[in-house]
Amino acid sequence: MEKQIVIFCDFDGTITEKDNIINIMQHFVPEEQWKPIVDDIFAKKRSLRNGVYALFQLVPSSLRREITDFVLSRARIRDGFGEFVDYCHKQNIKLLVTSNGIDFFIEPLLSPYAKKIDTIYCNKSNFSGENVEIIYPYPCDEHCNVDCGMCKTTIIRKYKSEKYFKVVIGDSITDLEGAKITDTVIARSYLAEKCQELGIKYKTFSTFHDCIEALDHLIRRTEVTQ
């Protein structure tokens, strides 16, 4: 049966060259406050939801404009992303951005491409209190007990395998559970290391030109269609 390709693409460290949350913490919060939280996330002593919430509770809401300006001035979109978005649009590939990042920097950074992206899934922010509060509109379903925050596997499961050929593109711990349940993984950094360790087949990328090349290969296979 022919299937349509649907892509679940990470944002921080994937679409952007570096992780914007880490950059924010490094610039605005003392290392002795934020680094133990990040270490606990990677050691799986804290869930992603709990950890990201705790990180932003270290940031005063009064810094909203400074933080936003900082991210928008420092973030670098990975080479080839614009061409990648155009390619997906022309090939009738569904492109979803699935991120545990935050709306206040993801949405403005993606605004030049938004018309050709099917959906942007990310966490929301609330600056009305003393410190920044993260809101999670896309929680884990009954099949996930990882406490992701923005649960990528819940989004992935909404796209039935009978109809869709599912592709994860990512770099980090937030993409690992999704990589376990999709048809193809395009990975770099931590995600590539874990795929190698767990025996999950993957293709590597450093730019989105590499991702286009990997998708061209998929399209030539009989189980997917333009």
Side-chain angles (χ1 to χ4, degrees), residues 6-66:
V6 56
I7 295 174
F8 307 90
C9 185
D10 179 50
F11 183 80
D12 287 281
T14 299
I15 294 175
T16 57
E17 293 183 354
K18 295 185 178 181
D19 189 301
N20 296 290
I21 292 177
I22 296 299
N23 283 351
I24 289 170
M25 295 302 140
Q26 289 174 334
H27 191 79
F28 291 97
V29 180
E31 183 173 335
E32 63 269 19
Q33 293 183 25
W34 67 263
K35 193 172 186 304
I37 298 174
V38 171
D39 290 344
D40 283 351
I41 292 172
F42 277 90
K44 298 189 177 180
K45 295 178 181 178
R46 279 181 184 261
S47 69
L48 284 165
R49 182 195 60 78
N50 179 283
V52 172
Y53 188 93
L55 287 171
F56 278 93
Q57 281 287 286
L58 300 172
V59 180
S61 293
S62 60
L63 296 177
R64 177 175 187 169
R65 176 49 56 192
E66 292 176 57

Side-chain angles (χ1 to χ4, degrees), residues 5-205:
I5 299 173
V6 56
I7 295 174
F8 307 90
C9 185
D10 179 50
F11 183 80
D12 287 281
T14 299
I15 294 175
T16 57
E17 293 183 354
K18 295 185 178 181
D19 189 301
N20 296 290
I21 292 177
I22 296 299
N23 283 351
I24 289 170
M25 295 302 140
Q26 289 174 334
H27 191 79
F28 291 97
V29 180
E31 183 173 335
E32 63 269 19
Q33 293 183 25
W34 67 263
K35 193 172 186 304
I37 298 174
V38 171
D39 290 344
D40 283 351
I41 292 172
F42 277 90
K44 298 189 177 180
K45 295 178 181 178
R46 279 181 184 261
S47 69
L48 284 165
R49 182 195 60 78
N50 179 283
V52 172
Y53 188 93
L55 287 171
F56 278 93
Q57 281 287 286
L58 300 172
V59 180
S61 293
S62 60
L63 296 177
R64 177 175 187 169
R65 176 49 56 192
E66 292 176 57
I67 295 169
T68 304
D69 290 345
F70 170 80
V71 175
L72 297 185
S73 66
R74 297 291 185 91
R76 296 291 178 267
I77 300 296
R78 189 172 298 277
D79 186 41
F81 181 68
E83 293 92 329
F84 172 77
V85 173
D86 288 340
Y87 174 88
C88 291
H89 185 70
K90 291 175 182 176
Q91 297 292 341
N92 191 33
I93 295 171
K94 293 185 74 68
L95 175 58
L96 315 179
V97 173
T98 50
S99 174
N100 256 288
I102 320 300
D103 59 352
F104 74 88
F105 60 81
I106 289 179
E107 291 175 357
L109 285 169
L110 287 181
S111 61
Y113 318 99
K115 289 183 179 179
K116 295 181 180 179
I117 295 173
D118 287 270
T119 311
I120 299 171
Y121 294 97
C122 65
N123 300 315
K124 306 299 182 184
S125 52
N126 180 5
F127 288 84
S128 64
E130 183 176 349
N131 295 316
V132 182
E133 180 185 13
I134 303 304
I135 299 167
Y136 298 98
Y138 307 106
C140 300
D141 63 14
E142 68 274 15
H143 301 291
C144 182
N145 60 3
V146 180
D147 195 25
C148 304
M150 204 306 287
C151 185
K152 298 187 180 186
T153 60
T154 295
I155 304 300
I156 291 168
R157 275 188 288 272
K158 292 180 179 179
Y159 290 81
K160 301 303 181 184
S161 296
E162 295 80 9
K163 183 177 180 181
Y164 293 102
F165 189 94
K166 295 178 276 192
V167 180
V168 159
I169 302 177
D171 78 305
S172 187
I173 190 171
T174 65
D175 306 297
L176 181 56
E177 295 305 312
K180 296 175 182 178
I181 63 169
T182 48
D183 298 295
T184 290
V185 181
I186 306 174
R188 58 175 298 275
S189 191
Y190 176 91
L191 181 61
E193 293 171 8
K194 295 302 289 186
C195 286
Q196 181 72 27
E197 178 185 318
L198 297 172
I200 300 171
K201 292 182 179 181
Y202 69 98
K203 293 186 179 296
T204 60
F205 77 100

